[in-house]
Each structure stands twice: as C-alpha cells, then as structure tokens.
PDB file of all heavy atoms in Angstrom:
ATOM      1  N   CYS A   1       9.539  91.693  84.418  1.00  0.00           N
ATOM      2  CA  CYS A   1      10.033  93.073  84.459  1.00  0.00           C
ATOM      3  C   CYS A   1      11.448  93.205  83.920  1.00  0.00           C
ATOM      4  O   CYS A   1      11.784  94.205  83.299  1.00  0.00           O
ATOM      5  CB  CYS A   1       9.982  93.584  85.900  1.00  0.00           C
ATOM      6  SG  CYS A   1       8.298  93.754  86.533  1.00  0.00           S
ATOM      7  N   SER A   2      12.299  92.196  84.151  1.00  0.00           N
ATOM      8  CA  SER A   2      13.698  92.337  83.768  1.00  0.00           C
ATOM      9  C   SER A   2      13.874  92.492  82.259  1.00  0.00           C
ATOM     10  O   SER A   2      14.830  93.113  81.806  1.00  0.00           O
ATOM     11  CB  SER A   2      14.501  91.120  84.263  1.00  0.00           C
ATOM     12  OG  SER A   2      14.020  89.937  83.655  1.00  0.00           O
ATOM     13  N   ASN A   3      12.971  91.922  81.488  1.00  0.00           N
ATOM     14  CA  ASN A   3      13.087  91.994  80.036  1.00  0.00           C
ATOM     15  C   ASN A   3      12.018  92.883  79.422  1.00  0.00           C
ATOM     16  O   ASN A   3      11.816  92.849  78.207  1.00  0.00           O
ATOM     17  CB  ASN A   3      12.964  90.594  79.426  1.00  0.00           C
ATOM     18  CG  ASN A   3      14.258  89.814  79.528  1.00  0.00           C
ATOM     19  OD1 ASN A   3      15.334  90.360  79.375  1.00  0.00           O
ATOM     20  ND2 ASN A   3      14.144  88.536  79.816  1.00  0.00           N
ATOM     21  N   LEU A   4      11.345  93.682  80.242  1.00  0.00           N
ATOM     22  CA  LEU A   4      10.183  94.422  79.754  1.00  0.00           C
ATOM     23  C   LEU A   4      10.529  95.353  78.601  1.00  0.00           C
ATOM     24  O   LEU A   4       9.815  95.407  77.595  1.00  0.00           O
ATOM     25  CB  LEU A   4       9.560  95.231  80.903  1.00  0.00           C
ATOM     26  CG  LEU A   4       8.179  95.851  80.614  1.00  0.00           C
ATOM     27  CD1 LEU A   4       7.186  94.761  80.261  1.00  0.00           C
ATOM     28  CD2 LEU A   4       7.688  96.646  81.812  1.00  0.00           C
ATOM     29  N   GLY A   5      11.650  96.077  78.696  1.00  0.00           N
ATOM     30  CA  GLY A   5      12.028  96.996  77.627  1.00  0.00           C
ATOM     31  C   GLY A   5      12.294  96.277  76.321  1.00  0.00           C
ATOM     32  O   GLY A   5      11.857  96.721  75.252  1.00  0.00           O
ATOM     33  N   TYR A   6      12.985  95.147  76.406  1.00  0.00           N
ATOM     34  CA  TYR A   6      13.278  94.391  75.186  1.00  0.00           C
ATOM     35  C   TYR A   6      11.994  93.841  74.579  1.00  0.00           C
ATOM     36  O   TYR A   6      11.789  93.911  73.365  1.00  0.00           O
ATOM     37  CB  TYR A   6      14.246  93.256  75.489  1.00  0.00           C
ATOM     38  CG  TYR A   6      14.518  92.410  74.269  1.00  0.00           C
ATOM     39  CD1 TYR A   6      15.316  92.889  73.228  1.00  0.00           C
ATOM     40  CD2 TYR A   6      13.948  91.152  74.127  1.00  0.00           C
ATOM     41  CE1 TYR A   6      15.545  92.138  72.089  1.00  0.00           C
ATOM     42  CE2 TYR A   6      14.174  90.394  72.993  1.00  0.00           C
ATOM     43  CZ  TYR A   6      14.970  90.892  71.981  1.00  0.00           C
ATOM     44  OH  TYR A   6      15.175  90.143  70.853  1.00  0.00           O
ATOM     45  N   TYR A   7      11.122  93.276  75.410  1.00  0.00           N
ATOM     46  CA  TYR A   7       9.876  92.717  74.881  1.00  0.00           C
ATOM     47  C   TYR A   7       8.978  93.808  74.314  1.00  0.00           C
ATOM     48  O   TYR A   7       8.257  93.586  73.342  1.00  0.00           O
ATOM     49  CB  TYR A   7       9.136  91.921  75.962  1.00  0.00           C
ATOM     50  CG  TYR A   7       9.724  90.548  76.175  1.00  0.00           C
ATOM     51  CD1 TYR A   7      10.283  90.194  77.400  1.00  0.00           C
ATOM     52  CD2 TYR A   7       9.749  89.614  75.143  1.00  0.00           C
ATOM     53  CE1 TYR A   7      10.844  88.942  77.592  1.00  0.00           C
ATOM     54  CE2 TYR A   7      10.309  88.363  75.335  1.00  0.00           C
ATOM     55  CZ  TYR A   7      10.859  88.031  76.557  1.00  0.00           C
ATOM     56  OH  TYR A   7      11.408  86.794  76.745  1.00  0.00           O
ATOM     57  N   TRP A   8       9.042  94.980  74.902  1.00  0.00           N
ATOM     58  CA  TRP A   8       8.198  96.058  74.381  1.00  0.00           C
ATOM     59  C   TRP A   8       8.611  96.429  72.963  1.00  0.00           C
ATOM     60  O   TRP A   8       7.765  96.616  72.095  1.00  0.00           O
ATOM     61  CB  TRP A   8       8.258  97.283  75.286  1.00  0.00           C
ATOM     62  CG  TRP A   8       7.497  98.440  74.695  1.00  0.00           C
ATOM     63  CD1 TRP A   8       7.996  99.619  74.242  1.00  0.00           C
ATOM     64  CD2 TRP A   8       6.087  98.510  74.473  1.00  0.00           C
ATOM     65  NE1 TRP A   8       7.001 100.419  73.735  1.00  0.00           N
ATOM     66  CE2 TRP A   8       5.813  99.771  73.869  1.00  0.00           C
ATOM     67  CE3 TRP A   8       5.036  97.640  74.721  1.00  0.00           C
ATOM     68  CZ2 TRP A   8       4.527 100.159  73.512  1.00  0.00           C
ATOM     69  CZ3 TRP A   8       3.751  98.025  74.360  1.00  0.00           C
ATOM     70  CH2 TRP A   8       3.508  99.276  73.765  1.00  0.00           C
ATOM     71  N   GLN A   9       9.920  96.520  72.704  1.00  0.00           N
ATOM     72  CA  GLN A   9      10.344  96.839  71.345  1.00  0.00           C
ATOM     73  C   GLN A   9       9.979  95.698  70.398  1.00  0.00           C
ATOM     74  O   GLN A   9       9.648  95.943  69.229  1.00  0.00           O
ATOM     75  CB  GLN A   9      11.844  97.170  71.296  1.00  0.00           C
ATOM     76  CG  GLN A   9      12.809  96.007  71.481  1.00  0.00           C
ATOM     77  CD  GLN A   9      13.104  95.236  70.206  1.00  0.00           C
ATOM     78  OE1 GLN A   9      13.052  95.797  69.113  1.00  0.00           O
ATOM     79  NE2 GLN A   9      13.384  93.946  70.338  1.00  0.00           N
ATOM     80  N   SER A  10      10.034  94.462  70.880  1.00  0.00           N
ATOM     81  CA  SER A  10       9.659  93.325  70.040  1.00  0.00           C
ATOM     82  C   SER A  10       8.179  93.372  69.688  1.00  0.00           C
ATOM     83  O   SER A  10       7.794  93.178  68.529  1.00  0.00           O
ATOM     84  CB  SER A  10       9.972  92.009  70.765  1.00  0.00           C
ATOM     85  OG  SER A  10      11.351  91.891  71.027  1.00  0.00           O
ATOM     86  N   VAL A  11       7.361  93.631  70.684  1.00  0.00           N
ATOM     87  CA  VAL A  11       5.911  93.700  70.454  1.00  0.00           C
ATOM     88  C   VAL A  11       5.573  94.878  69.547  1.00  0.00           C
ATOM     89  O   VAL A  11       4.771  94.755  68.608  1.00  0.00           O
ATOM     90  CB  VAL A  11       5.167  93.811  71.800  1.00  0.00           C
ATOM     91  CG1 VAL A  11       3.699  94.166  71.576  1.00  0.00           C
ATOM     92  CG2 VAL A  11       5.284  92.501  72.567  1.00  0.00           C
ATOM     93  N   SER A  12       6.184  96.030  69.797  1.00  0.00           N
ATOM     94  CA  SER A  12       5.904  97.207  68.974  1.00  0.00           C
ATOM     95  C   SER A  12       6.289  96.959  67.519  1.00  0.00           C
ATOM     96  O   SER A  12       5.556  97.320  66.592  1.00  0.00           O
ATOM     97  CB  SER A  12       6.684  98.422  69.508  1.00  0.00           C
ATOM     98  OG  SER A  12       6.292  98.731  70.821  1.00  0.00           O
ATOM     99  N   GLY A  13       7.434  96.322  67.320  1.00  0.00           N
ATOM    100  CA  GLY A  13       7.869  96.026  65.962  1.00  0.00           C
ATOM    101  C   GLY A  13       6.944  95.052  65.267  1.00  0.00           C
ATOM    102  O   GLY A  13       6.631  95.220  64.079  1.00  0.00           O
ATOM    103  N   GLN A  14       6.487  94.031  65.993  1.00  0.00           N
ATOM    104  CA  GLN A  14       5.575  93.053  65.400  1.00  0.00           C
ATOM    105  C   GLN A  14       4.223  93.685  65.087  1.00  0.00           C
ATOM    106  O   GLN A  14       3.630  93.422  64.027  1.00  0.00           O
ATOM    107  CB  GLN A  14       5.390  91.872  66.348  1.00  0.00           C
ATOM    108  CG  GLN A  14       4.620  90.709  65.743  1.00  0.00           C
ATOM    109  CD  GLN A  14       5.327  90.092  64.556  1.00  0.00           C
ATOM    110  OE1 GLN A  14       6.459  89.629  64.655  1.00  0.00           O
ATOM    111  NE2 GLN A  14       4.671  90.077  63.411  1.00  0.00           N
ATOM    112  N   LEU A  15       3.733  94.522  65.967  1.00  0.00           N
ATOM    113  CA  LEU A  15       2.464  95.209  65.713  1.00  0.00           C
ATOM    114  C   LEU A  15       2.555  96.103  64.479  1.00  0.00           C
ATOM    115  O   LEU A  15       1.596  96.210  63.700  1.00  0.00           O
ATOM    116  CB  LEU A  15       2.060  96.043  66.929  1.00  0.00           C
ATOM    117  CG  LEU A  15       1.523  95.268  68.128  1.00  0.00           C
ATOM    118  CD1 LEU A  15       1.350  96.203  69.328  1.00  0.00           C
ATOM    119  CD2 LEU A  15       0.192  94.605  67.800  1.00  0.00           C
ATOM    120  N   ASP A  16       3.704  96.744  64.288  1.00  0.00           N
ATOM    121  CA  ASP A  16       3.884  97.602  63.115  1.00  0.00           C
ATOM    122  C   ASP A  16       3.824  96.776  61.828  1.00  0.00           C
ATOM    123  O   ASP A  16       3.242  97.215  60.823  1.00  0.00           O
ATOM    124  CB  ASP A  16       5.217  98.337  63.212  1.00  0.00           C
ATOM    125  CG  ASP A  16       5.457  99.243  62.008  1.00  0.00           C
ATOM    126  OD1 ASP A  16       4.635 100.155  61.785  1.00  0.00           O
ATOM    127  OD2 ASP A  16       6.448  99.029  61.289  1.00  0.00           O
ATOM    128  N   ILE A  17       4.414  95.585  61.858  1.00  0.00           N
ATOM    129  CA  ILE A  17       4.335  94.707  60.682  1.00  0.00           C
ATOM    130  C   ILE A  17       2.894  94.322  60.409  1.00  0.00           C
ATOM    131  O   ILE A  17       2.413  94.401  59.268  1.00  0.00           O
ATOM    132  CB  ILE A  17       5.205  93.447  60.892  1.00  0.00           C
ATOM    133  CG1 ILE A  17       6.677  93.832  60.922  1.00  0.00           C
ATOM    134  CG2 ILE A  17       4.935  92.423  59.785  1.00  0.00           C
ATOM    135  CD1 ILE A  17       7.608  92.678  61.240  1.00  0.00           C
ATOM    136  N   TRP A  18       2.163  93.898  61.432  1.00  0.00           N
ATOM    137  CA  TRP A  18       0.759  93.515  61.247  1.00  0.00           C
ATOM    138  C   TRP A  18      -0.062  94.679  60.694  1.00  0.00           C
ATOM    139  O   TRP A  18      -0.949  94.489  59.861  1.00  0.00           O
ATOM    140  CB  TRP A  18       0.172  93.046  62.573  1.00  0.00           C
ATOM    141  CG  TRP A  18       0.641  91.683  62.998  1.00  0.00           C
ATOM    142  CD1 TRP A  18       1.032  90.654  62.187  1.00  0.00           C
ATOM    143  CD2 TRP A  18       0.766  91.200  64.335  1.00  0.00           C
ATOM    144  NE1 TRP A  18       1.387  89.558  62.932  1.00  0.00           N
ATOM    145  CE2 TRP A  18       1.232  89.860  64.253  1.00  0.00           C
ATOM    146  CE3 TRP A  18       0.530  91.756  65.588  1.00  0.00           C
ATOM    147  CZ2 TRP A  18       1.457  89.079  65.387  1.00  0.00           C
ATOM    148  CZ3 TRP A  18       0.756  90.979  66.710  1.00  0.00           C
ATOM    149  CH2 TRP A  18       1.213  89.657  66.611  1.00  0.00           C
ATOM    150  N   ARG A  19       0.251  95.883  61.169  1.00  0.00           N
ATOM    151  CA  ARG A  19      -0.506  97.062  60.718  1.00  0.00           C
ATOM    152  C   ARG A  19      -0.330  97.308  59.233  1.00  0.00           C
ATOM    153  O   ARG A  19      -1.244  97.815  58.560  1.00  0.00           O
ATOM    154  CB  ARG A  19      -0.030  98.286  61.522  1.00  0.00           C
ATOM    155  CG  ARG A  19      -0.706  99.594  61.162  1.00  0.00           C
ATOM    156  CD  ARG A  19      -0.179 100.736  62.025  1.00  0.00           C
ATOM    157  NE  ARG A  19       1.229 100.991  61.807  1.00  0.00           N
ATOM    158  CZ  ARG A  19       1.716 101.716  60.796  1.00  0.00           C
ATOM    159  NH1 ARG A  19       0.894 102.225  59.889  1.00  0.00           N
ATOM    160  NH2 ARG A  19       3.020 101.927  60.690  1.00  0.00           N
ATOM    161  N   ARG A  20       0.826  96.936  58.694  1.00  0.00           N
ATOM    162  CA  ARG A  20       1.143  97.207  57.296  1.00  0.00           C
ATOM    163  C   ARG A  20       0.728  96.080  56.341  1.00  0.00           C
ATOM    164  O   ARG A  20       0.760  96.254  55.124  1.00  0.00           O
ATOM    165  CB  ARG A  20       2.657  97.434  57.153  1.00  0.00           C
ATOM    166  CG  ARG A  20       3.172  98.668  57.877  1.00  0.00           C
ATOM    167  CD  ARG A  20       4.700  98.659  57.933  1.00  0.00           C
ATOM    168  NE  ARG A  20       5.246  99.804  58.633  1.00  0.00           N
ATOM    169  CZ  ARG A  20       5.645 100.932  58.060  1.00  0.00           C
ATOM    170  NH1 ARG A  20       5.555 101.066  56.743  1.00  0.00           N
ATOM    171  NH2 ARG A  20       6.137 101.927  58.770  1.00  0.00           N
ATOM    172  N   GLU A  21       0.395  94.933  56.875  1.00  0.00           N
ATOM    173  CA  GLU A  21       0.127  93.762  56.032  1.00  0.00           C
ATOM    174  C   GLU A  21      -1.144  93.898  55.186  1.00  0.00           C
ATOM    175  O   GLU A  21      -2.146  94.453  55.629  1.00  0.00           O
ATOM    176  CB  GLU A  21      -0.033  92.515  56.904  1.00  0.00           C
ATOM    177  CG  GLU A  21       1.238  91.948  57.451  1.00  0.00           C
ATOM    178  CD  GLU A  21       0.972  90.688  58.257  1.00  0.00           C
ATOM    179  OE1 GLU A  21      -0.183  90.224  58.303  1.00  0.00           O
ATOM    180  OE2 GLU A  21       1.924  90.170  58.861  1.00  0.00           O
ATOM    181  N   ARG A  22      -1.073  93.331  53.977  1.00  0.00           N
ATOM    182  CA  ARG A  22      -2.245  93.139  53.118  1.00  0.00           C
ATOM    183  C   ARG A  22      -2.098  91.805  52.403  1.00  0.00           C
ATOM    184  O   ARG A  22      -0.974  91.392  52.107  1.00  0.00           O
ATOM    185  CB  ARG A  22      -2.357  94.251  52.069  1.00  0.00           C
ATOM    186  CG  ARG A  22      -2.816  95.595  52.587  1.00  0.00           C
ATOM    187  CD  ARG A  22      -3.287  96.474  51.423  1.00  0.00           C
ATOM    188  NE  ARG A  22      -2.194  96.807  50.513  1.00  0.00           N
ATOM    189  CZ  ARG A  22      -2.374  97.237  49.264  1.00  0.00           C
ATOM    190  NH1 ARG A  22      -3.604  97.339  48.759  1.00  0.00           N
ATOM    191  NH2 ARG A  22      -1.332  97.541  48.509  1.00  0.00           N
ATOM    192  N   PRO A  23      -3.190  91.126  52.086  1.00  0.00           N
ATOM    193  CA  PRO A  23      -3.071  89.882  51.326  1.00  0.00           C
ATOM    194  C   PRO A  23      -2.322  90.117  50.021  1.00  0.00           C
ATOM    195  O   PRO A  23      -2.525  91.141  49.351  1.00  0.00           O
ATOM    196  CB  PRO A  23      -4.529  89.486  51.069  1.00  0.00           C
ATOM    197  CG  PRO A  23      -5.300  90.137  52.186  1.00  0.00           C
ATOM    198  CD  PRO A  23      -4.588  91.433  52.450  1.00  0.00           C
ATOM    199  N   VAL A  24      -1.463  89.189  49.657  1.00  0.00           N
ATOM    200  CA  VAL A  24      -0.677  89.338  48.439  1.00  0.00           C
ATOM    201  C   VAL A  24      -1.578  89.506  47.224  1.00  0.00           C
ATOM    202  O   VAL A  24      -1.311  90.350  46.352  1.00  0.00           O
ATOM    203  CB  VAL A  24       0.257  88.124  48.261  1.00  0.00           C
ATOM    204  CG1 VAL A  24       0.857  88.104  46.855  1.00  0.00           C
ATOM    205  CG2 VAL A  24       1.368  88.154  49.304  1.00  0.00           C
ATOM    206  N   GLU A  25      -2.661  88.721  47.147  1.00  0.00           N
ATOM    207  CA  GLU A  25      -3.565  88.842  45.998  1.00  0.00           C
ATOM    208  C   GLU A  25      -4.149  90.246  45.893  1.00  0.00           C
ATOM    209  O   GLU A  25      -4.336  90.772  44.792  1.00  0.00           O
ATOM    210  CB  GLU A  25      -4.700  87.824  46.098  1.00  0.00           C
ATOM    211  CG  GLU A  25      -4.272  86.383  45.943  1.00  0.00           C
ATOM    212  CD  GLU A  25      -3.913  85.748  47.275  1.00  0.00           C
ATOM    213  OE1 GLU A  25      -3.692  86.510  48.257  1.00  0.00           O
ATOM    214  OE2 GLU A  25      -3.847  84.504  47.335  1.00  0.00           O
ATOM    215  N   GLN A  26      -4.417  90.853  47.036  1.00  0.00           N
ATOM    216  CA  GLN A  26      -4.971  92.208  47.045  1.00  0.00           C
ATOM    217  C   GLN A  26      -3.942  93.210  46.542  1.00  0.00           C
ATOM    218  O   GLN A  26      -4.276  94.133  45.785  1.00  0.00           O
ATOM    219  CB  GLN A  26      -5.407  92.571  48.467  1.00  0.00           C
ATOM    220  CG  GLN A  26      -6.126  93.890  48.603  1.00  0.00           C
ATOM    221  CD  GLN A  26      -6.483  94.187  50.044  1.00  0.00           C
ATOM    222  OE1 GLN A  26      -5.887  95.047  50.689  1.00  0.00           O
ATOM    223  NE2 GLN A  26      -7.450  93.447  50.569  1.00  0.00           N
ATOM    224  N   VAL A  27      -2.700  93.036  46.931  1.00  0.00           N
ATOM    225  CA  VAL A  27      -1.635  93.937  46.475  1.00  0.00           C
ATOM    226  C   VAL A  27      -1.444  93.786  44.968  1.00  0.00           C
ATOM    227  O   VAL A  27      -1.276  94.776  44.246  1.00  0.00           O
ATOM    228  CB  VAL A  27      -0.315  93.651  47.219  1.00  0.00           C
ATOM    229  CG1 VAL A  27       0.801  94.568  46.714  1.00  0.00           C
ATOM    230  CG2 VAL A  27      -0.499  93.830  48.726  1.00  0.00           C
ATOM    231  N   ILE A  28      -1.479  92.558  44.479  1.00  0.00           N
ATOM    232  CA  ILE A  28      -1.317  92.312  43.050  1.00  0.00           C
ATOM    233  C   ILE A  28      -2.448  92.941  42.256  1.00  0.00           C
ATOM    234  O   ILE A  28      -2.246  93.507  41.174  1.00  0.00           O
ATOM    235  CB  ILE A  28      -1.225  90.796  42.768  1.00  0.00           C
ATOM    236  CG1 ILE A  28       0.077  90.232  43.351  1.00  0.00           C
ATOM    237  CG2 ILE A  28      -1.303  90.515  41.269  1.00  0.00           C
ATOM    238  CD1 ILE A  28       0.195  88.713  43.257  1.00  0.00           C
ATOM    239  N   ALA A  29      -3.673  92.862  42.787  1.00  0.00           N
ATOM    240  CA  ALA A  29      -4.847  93.382  42.076  1.00  0.00           C
ATOM    241  C   ALA A  29      -4.964  94.900  42.146  1.00  0.00           C
ATOM    242  O   ALA A  29      -5.708  95.502  41.373  1.00  0.00           O
ATOM    243  CB  ALA A  29      -6.116  92.740  42.640  1.00  0.00           C
TER     244      ALA A  29
END
C-alpha cells in the first residue's frame, strides 16, 4: 500500500507502451 500510487503510474505507463507496440518489420512494411 505504501507505494501503491507510484506503482500504479509505473504499471499504467508500461501498459501504454505495450498498447502502442508493433513489430519493427511490420512498421517497415
């Protein structure tokens, strides 16, 4: 609980990156 706010922003930020990812070959093509 003591770090819940910090971890939540970390998790949210990481999830946003995963949501945006595409294989490099796919982006190139």
Side-chain angles (χ1 to χ4, degrees):
C1 293
S2 62
N3 280 322
L4 191 59
Y6 177 73
Y7 281 117
W8 175 247
Q9 72 85 29
S10 298
V11 169
S12 298
Q14 188 63 58
L15 285 172
D16 180 60
I17 292 175
W18 286 331
R19 179 179 64 82
R20 295 168 181 266
E21 284 182 5
R22 286 197 295 161
V24 167
E25 292 90 343
Q26 186 182 107
V27 179
I28 292 174

